[in-house]
Amino acid sequence: MEPFATKVAILAQKLAEILAEKLGHKSSFFQESCLPSTCYLRLNRYPPCPIPSDIYGLMPHTDSDFLTILHQDQVGGLQLVKDGQWIAVKPNPEALVINIGDLFQAWSNDCYKSVKHRAVTHPTKERFSAAYFLCPSYETVIESCSMPSVYRKFSFREYRQKVQEDVQLHGYKVGLS
Ligand code: OGA
Ligand code: NI
């Protein structure tokens, strides 16, 4: 896990830089705000689930970070919304999955969209995935890189608190608004 985290941390920074450059911004913002101490790796284990109904491994959600790098095994179960439909992200042993998170959507002023995704269970097979989250410090203020801005500026702390409150209040994350 340690060599994996070290490698994907560098990759995440590179990707953020490239995506920012594509918008015409040569930015050190991600390097300065997303330090090793504020990013994290989540190891997911989905036990087999023989009940064939809508039991999720992970509820539909968007990630609350800048971007996520996901390695999934060959079992499959990751799905995302495309044109209003859930589609499967087929496992590819040669590829990582990159998700845009809410913060990148806000920073890019909706140029990049945070994709809604979920994990469904497999009836007989156990599944593992590892997700690296490129996150800033709580003090970091996320402000659109172009004007007029779709969202008001907010700190990552504010956003995390709102997500937690929404989950407690509604049972799900409301997300950017
Ligand atoms: C996540 C996530 C998907 C998966 O950890 O946020 O979306 O396939 N994981 O494990
Ligand atoms: Ni996710």
Side-chain angles (χ1 to χ4, degrees):
M1 279 306 128
E2 275 176 16
F4 176 75
T6 311
K7 287 228 162 96
V8 289
I10 296 166
L11 178 61
Q13 278 294 346
K14 267 198 193 136
L15 288 171
E17 213 174 289
I18 291 166
L19 290 168
E21 262 178 42
K22 290 271 171 207
L23 294 181
H25 292 268
K26 219 173 151 33
S27 177
S28 56
F29 171 61
F30 301 99
Q31 235 167 40
E32 282 158 16
S33 61
C34 304
L35 301 172
S37 56
T38 63
C39 299
Y40 62 97
L41 197 65
R42 181 153 79 204
L43 308 180
N44 299 304
R45 171 183 171 258
Y46 305 98
C49 180
I51 308 167
S53 65
D54 269 348
I55 302 222
Y56 297 123
L58 254 186
M59 293 258 292
H61 67 280
T62 56
D63 294 342
S64 307
D65 57 349
F66 281 114
L67 54 88
T68 310
I69 299 182
L70 183 90
H71 176 271
Q72 59 170 338
D73 64 18
Q74 295 308 297
V75 175
L78 175 63
Q79 299 181 341
L80 59 80
V81 177
K82 191 171 181 241
D83 305 324
Q85 293 216 329
W86 285 106
I87 59 162
V89 181
K90 211 172 123 196
N92 176 347
E94 301 292 314
L96 296 164
V97 177
I98 317 293
N99 268 341
I100 298 287
D102 300 337
L103 302 187
F104 223 128
Q105 178 170 334
W107 186 82
S108 73
N109 214 13
D110 274 357
C111 257
Y112 300 127
K113 288 290 174 64
S114 165
V115 159
K116 191 187 269 183
H117 55 284
R118 68 183 183 187
V120 297
T121 50
H122 191 281
T124 56
K125 288 183 188 157
E126 179 180 47
R127 171 173 181 260
F128 292 96
S129 72
Y132 180 83
F133 295 87
L134 184 68
C135 284
S137 66
Y138 284 132
E139 287 68 41
T140 303
V141 173
I142 289 88
E143 201 172 0
S144 167
C145 71
S146 65
M147 291 293 153
S149 172
V150 178
Y151 310 100
R152 68 169 180 83
K153 65 177 176 186
F154 57 87
S155 73
F156 187 44
R157 171 172 284 113
E158 247 180 282
Y159 191 62
R160 286 296 289 254
Q161 270 169 5
K162 184 180 168 294
V163 167
Q164 277 184 7
E165 280 165 20
D166 286 344
V167 168
Q168 278 172 9
L169 214 64
H170 309 288
Y172 58 88
K173 183 183 139 184
V174 176
L176 289 174
S177 55

